[in-house]
Amino acid sequence: AQTVTQSQPEMSVQEAETVTLSCTYDTSESDYYLFWYKQPPSRQMILVIRQEAYKQQNATENRFSVNFQKAAKSFSLKISDSQLGDAAMYFCAYVDSNYQLIWGAGTKLIIKP
Amino acid sequence: GAGVSQSPSNKVTEKGKDVELRCDPISGHTALYWYRQSLGQGLEFLIYFQGNSAPDKSGLPSDRFSAERTGGSVSTLTIQRTQQEDSAVYLCASSLASGGFQETQYFGPGTRLLVL
């Protein structure tokens, strides 16, 4: 069965600094997608970035980028120039042809002013 | 355009009562998903609809849980004879699902259910 592991329950970073959130997954599938979602206190789950497994190039969205290592089954999220509004729970998720999103347990990101 | 909406935002009920949670997906989205999020946890998949049919009901935790979708739009998640362990946030998501599992899912704000 597919699994997603986020080993950091909580991370903190100084405002304007860079932070990396870790995610590893396990699957025997070759075709899948990976996502990072952000959930602020408002509870609304918001897509941050997505990565297609067959693409070697790492996805980037403004200050957010991923380091996708397919062989190692690793999918970390780097947030550059951290802002107070980045404070939230961050969830790593995986989906394949079974249509189910498999979620990690989340990492709480704290931004220190 | 409007996002995914869910109602009610919060629901408090007594143990043993039935509850209905509603999800209104983004217009044009054919796929709809229900998830449960317990306090401080990730999301647990419950059920997925493609149009009005649910090809995968494996995530429903017990036979007290059921869901339906009519007209390819609004979905209702029903929990019968609620138990305290049903207390959680119930999230709904929708996607275009033009045949691809890779479509991004867009989430509603969730319904926080508390069973006393």
Side-chain angles (χ1 to χ4, degrees):
Chain A
Q2 293 82 357
T3 59
V4 175
T5 302
Q6 293 179 249
S7 59
Q8 307 152 318
E10 186 174 297
M11 291 283 286
S12 62
V13 63
Q14 205 71 35
E15 191 176 5
E17 296 293 309
T18 295
V19 64
T20 299
L21 309 184
S22 300
C23 173
T24 59
Y25 60 96
D26 189 23
T27 183
S28 57
E29 300 286 332
S30 59
D31 192 12
Y32 54 89
Y33 282 70
L34 297 162
F35 302 83
W36 277 99
Y37 279 89
K38 166 185 175 180
Q39 188 179 38
S42 67
R43 198 168 77 203
Q44 182 83 46
M45 197 72 76
I46 302 165
L47 176 69
V48 174
I49 199 166
R50 54 181 269 164
Q51 175 77 41
E52 301 163 56
Y54 62 85
K55 284 191 175 180
Q56 293 186 340
Q57 186 175 5
N58 289 326
T60 299
E61 286 289 339
N62 301 314
R63 297 183 295 107
F64 299 86
S65 62
V66 299
N67 183 5
F68 175 47
Q69 302 289 328
K70 190 172 183 178
K73 295 179 181 175
S74 170
F75 181 61
S76 60
L77 174 70
K78 185 172 83 171
I79 306 174
S80 304
D81 185 25
S82 299
Q83 300 175 0
L84 294 177
D86 295 334
M89 284 291 292
Y90 284 80
F91 291 96
C92 177
Y94 158 104
V95 68
D96 61 24
S97 57
N98 293 314
Y99 282 86
Q100 296 183 27
L101 231 58
I102 310 298
W103 296 77
T107 296
K108 182 178 181 180
L109 179 63
I110 298 168
I111 311 295
K112 298 177 181 178
Chain B
V4 178
S5 61
Q6 292 185 247
S7 61
S9 298
N10 295 280
K11 176 72 176 178
V12 180
T13 191
E14 294 179 348
K15 179 181 173 182
K17 295 285 181 68
D18 298 351
V19 295
E20 283 190 354
L21 311 180
R22 175 188 168 108
C23 173
D24 202 338
I26 293 172
S27 177
H29 281 194
T30 56
L32 186 148
Y33 307 78
W34 283 100
Y35 296 90
R36 179 168 69 176
Q37 185 178 28
S38 300
L39 185 64
Q41 302 295 313
L43 275 69
E44 173 191 5
F45 169 80
L46 297 179
I47 191 168
Y48 146 68
F49 287 91
Q50 178 65 274
N52 289 337
S53 64
D56 185 358
K57 298 181 180 180
S58 63
L60 293 175
S62 76
D63 58 8
R64 296 185 296 104
F65 287 72
S66 63
E68 65 176 14
R69 189 181 186 195
T70 56
S73 183
V74 173
S75 176
T76 302
L77 177 69
T78 301
I79 310 173
Q80 295 178 309
R81 305 180 303 281
T82 52
Q83 303 294 313
Q84 289 179 333
E85 60 262 30
D86 298 334
S87 298
V89 175
Y90 290 82
L91 289 166
C92 175
S94 70
S95 71
L96 278 171
S98 53
F101 62 86
Q102 70 275 18
E103 295 290 347
T104 297
Q105 295 183 20
Y106 295 87
F107 285 79
T111 293
R112 186 182 300 277
L113 175 66
L114 177 61
V115 182
L116 301 177

